[in-house]
């Protein structure tokens, strides 16, 4: 009986680890959707223009907290973005938290286009 429970536990733990690994893989894909869909036409609407910061470069220089801070608070002509991000269908259906959505975006941007 004890052994069976132990075995069940081991199976559960390895199952969770598998799901965890799959989610880590999926992060950048979720981030790409956020990048392409936020504000209707995506972050690139503004950030693909040479006059605005290139986020694929920004992400190499900014801390995670600074990056999130700009999304939450906006900055100069950068609109607040957290609300639109959290309203995206893929973010909702995956049940991502704000931090997970930010991490997904960063994972995509670090990977590059
Ligand atoms: C309406 C145009 C617009 C949209 C849409 C937009 N941004 Fe921005 N963003 C800007 C501008 C302009 C700046 C530069 C702000 C400044 O000069 O302080 C900026 C700055 C930033 C910065 C700081 C970059 C740095 O190097 O300091 C981050 C991070 C950022 N935006 C993320 C995003 C993300 C992620 C999205 C999509 C969810 C997004 N932005 C959508 C206009 C936009």
């Amino acid at each position: 009986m004890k052994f069976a429970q132990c075995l069940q536990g081991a199976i559960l733990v390895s199952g969770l680890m598998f799901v965890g690994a799959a989610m880590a893989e999926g992060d950048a894909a979720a981030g790409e959707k956020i990048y392409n869909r936020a504000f209707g036409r995506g972050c690139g609407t503004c950030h693909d223009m040479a006059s605005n910061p290139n986020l694929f470069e920004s992400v190499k220089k900014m801390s995670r907290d600074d990056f999130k801070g700009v999304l939450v608070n906006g900055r100069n002509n950068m609109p607040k973005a957290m609300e639109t991000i959290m309203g995206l269908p893929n973010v909702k259906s995956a049940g991502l938290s704000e931090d997970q959505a930010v991490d997904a975006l960063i994972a995509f941007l670090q990977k590059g286009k």
Side-chain angles (χ1 to χ4, degrees):
M1 185 62 184
K2 273 241 167 93
F3 177 72
Q5 278 175 347
C6 186
L7 196 65
Q8 265 180 2
I11 290 168
L12 188 71
V13 167
S14 52
L16 286 174
M17 277 164 57
F18 178 74
V19 170
M23 273 174 66
E25 276 288 299
D27 274 356
E32 183 169 11
K33 284 187 186 157
I34 295 171
Y35 186 85
N36 289 326
R37 296 179 189 172
F39 298 106
R41 277 184 290 170
C43 312
T45 319
C46 297
H47 285 282
D48 285 347
M49 287 196 290
S51 50
N52 290 328
N54 178 328
L55 295 184
F56 296 92
E57 294 302 319
S58 297
V59 84
K60 295 177 189 166
K61 295 175 268 182
M62 293 180 85
S63 73
R64 185 193 176 286
D65 283 353
D66 286 348
F67 187 93
K68 186 179 176 188
V70 174
L71 297 183
V72 171
N73 303 316
R75 207 181 73 198
N76 299 315
N77 289 328
M78 166 68 201
K80 291 183 184 180
M82 213 63 233
E83 220 165 284
T84 175
I85 290 171
M86 295 314 286
L88 290 173
N90 77 298
V91 172
K92 278 191 184 168
S93 66
L96 300 185
S97 65
E98 286 192 359
D99 280 332
Q100 285 171 327
V102 170
D103 287 341
L105 250 179
I106 291 175
F108 164 64
L109 292 168
Q110 282 176 341
K111 216 178 89 186
K113 270 191 191 176

